[in-house]
Amino acid sequence: MLLAGGRPAVLGLPGSRLLAHAREAGLTAVEEAFADRAYTPRGTLVPRGDAGAVVHDADEVVRRSVGMAVERAVTGADGGRIPVEARSLCVHGDTPGAAALARRVRTALEDAGVTVEAFA
């Protein structure tokens, strides 16, 4: 991803080595949460090969998105609440109906009073 002025930005999980290395290299590091993925109790993503790794229910994706933005938390795969500190929210493009889902997420965020804007 490029920011205004052509500067590169690196998106990744909060606290990841990827973002630490990006910062060390002088790049803009952007913490990213994933609306349509399940989280482990440690705040990492459930591996895609595991059952329940991808959230398919569109209503649930929308609820999770608002929760991550407003409450700064998401319900993990074990049912516990996990803190989320992110500046970007991802809906995966390979999710069926991703464009319509992303529009629903944006509308729900705006309805919840969240300002949706570029992180540049």
Side-chain angles (χ1 to χ4, degrees):
M1 162 141 307
L2 293 179
L3 301 175
R7 291 185 4 188
V10 176
L11 283 74
L13 280 173
S16 67
R17 290 184 10 207
L18 172 67
L19 294 183
H21 289 300
R23 286 184 182 98
E24 289 171 9
L27 301 173
T28 299
V30 178
E31 295 80 5
E32 182 174 38
F34 298 88
D36 53 0
R37 290 291 308 279
Y39 281 80
T40 70
R42 292 183 40 223
T44 59
L45 298 176
V46 172
R48 274 201 182 246
D50 290 3
V54 178
V55 179
H56 296 286
D57 182 288
D59 293 335
E60 181 64 16
V61 171
V62 171
R63 275 192 299 278
R64 291 165 58 85
S65 299
V66 172
M68 285 187 248
V70 174
E71 300 167 14
R72 301 275 186 210
V74 66
T75 301
D78 68 346
R81 294 294 282 168
I82 299 159
V84 174
E85 292 296 328
R87 294 176 51 212
S88 176
L89 184 60
C90 175
V91 173
H92 285 89
D94 61 348
T95 297
L101 180 57
R103 283 190 293 276
R104 281 190 61 195
V105 166
R106 182 183 183 116
T107 297
L109 290 170
E110 290 171 339
D111 289 349
V114 176
T115 301
V116 178
E117 61 188 4
F119 47 77

